[in-house]
Amino acid sequence: MIDELILNALKEDVGEGDHSSLACIGDKEEGIARLEVREAGIIAGIDVARRIFELFDSSLKLEVFVRDGSSVKPGDIAFIVKGAARSILTTERLVLNIMQRMSGIATQTNRMVKMIAHTNATLIDTRKTTPNFRLFEKQAVLIGGGGNHRFGLYDMVMIKDNHIDFAGGVAEAIAATSNYLKSKRKKLSIEIEVRNKEELTEVIRVGGVDRIMLDNFSPTEIKKALQVIPKIYETEASGGISQSTIVAYAETGVDFISVGELTHSVKSLDLGLKARF
């Protein structure tokens, strides 16, 4: 899947050819460029960059100085790439686009993970990702020390508010899900979102799920909810949780905290790929 994403991205960017490099640089010209760190954070995407270079021009040589997940600061050099100057220039923007975004996600994830390290809560991502870029974004969350929620619609059942409303209620949605999985002979974890204590009470009464998501509950409301939720269920806090509120949520005792802003509105880390002479 990684190769497919990279090749599609190269096709999108290069098209019939990188005319700027083809016009300015001779086909025999060799070059060296280095990935310069311009902002403190957690580096991510080194392995992806390596694969981009391999797929585009296998003769390019990469000398890596830091690993994915390493803390970096302005002035650090993440790697040096050597080989055909045209190839370096053509792949430059794709490498930077991916690494800057992945590093931004890893940095923010790591920052929030450290904030709740004194609790047992696990920070996880969501499906609020960039289309056709989800694999890299979720990989960056892992590099930053967080965890992944379901990857897509196919690897876990999540009964959300709209599913409940369309199905006719909590009990109806759970029953329909159970029947569906039995008919398809599928064993998937089931999570259900609850919006209030009435829906929570109904879920506990009906059972048949693995995780309960407490959506848009305040930390105080979550503490009260955890007092009545049987230990057999995993619990998750979700809904507008940010860096300013995550500690309060983690200290409630909830198992998981899902944060959409890890991927949908994170700031990229400032990196540059510059020719070296």
Side-chain angles (χ1 to χ4, degrees), residues 5 7 15 19 50 79 94 97 128 142 145 156 166 179 184-185 187 194 198 208 219 224 252 270:
L5 292 172
L7 292 172
H19 295 305
R50 186 195 306 277
F79 63 70
L94 179 57
N97 284 349
K128 296 176 182 177
L142 293 177
M156 180 181 183
F166 278 126
N179 291 334
K184 298 297 182 180
R185 296 182 179 178
K187 292 184 178 180
V194 297
E198 288 76 23
K224 292 179 180 178
T252 64
D270 192 4

Side-chain angles (χ1 to χ4, degrees), residues 76-95:
D76 285 349
I77 305 301
F79 63 70
I80 291 175
V81 59
K82 304 175 183 179
R86 281 181 177 177
S87 296
I88 294 172
L89 290 169
T90 300
T91 53
E92 171 191 357
R93 178 46 52 191
L94 179 57
V95 167

Side-chain angles (χ1 to χ4, degrees), residues 159 164 167-179 192 198-199 202-203 205-207 209:
I159 305 172
I164 292 170
V170 167
E172 290 82 357
I174 293 175
T177 298
S178 178
N179 291 334
I192 189 164
E198 288 76 23
E199 288 187 343
E202 184 70 354
V203 169
R205 183 187 70 81
V206 175
V209 302

Side-chain angles (χ1 to χ4, degrees), residues 34-47:
R34 60 187 188 181
L35 196 287
E36 300 175 351
V37 178
R38 299 170 178 170
E39 183 178 2
I42 302 297
I43 201 75
I46 298 287
D47 289 340

Side-chain angles (χ1 to χ4, degrees), residues 79-128:
F79 63 70
I80 291 175
V81 59
K82 304 175 183 179
R86 281 181 177 177
S87 296
I88 294 172
L89 290 169
T90 300
T91 53
E92 171 191 357
R93 178 46 52 191
L94 179 57
V95 167
L96 285 174
N97 284 349
I98 290 179
M99 286 199 64
Q100 286 178 315
R101 181 155 181 80
M102 286 186 69
S103 296
I105 291 170
T107 298
Q108 179 65 3
T109 301
N110 187 257
R111 184 180 297 123
M112 296 179 78
V113 165
K114 287 180 177 178
M115 291 175 67
I116 63 172
H118 63 291
T119 74
N120 292 321
T122 299
L123 174 65
I124 58 175
D125 53 27
T126 70
R127 282 176 51 248
K128 296 176 182 177

Side-chain angles (χ1 to χ4, degrees), residues 136-154:
F136 298 131
E137 291 176 338
K138 283 185 170 284
Q139 190 175 65
V141 170
L142 293 177
I143 290 172
N148 291 153
H149 206 297
R150 59 177 178 163
F151 187 84
L153 294 170
Y154 58 85

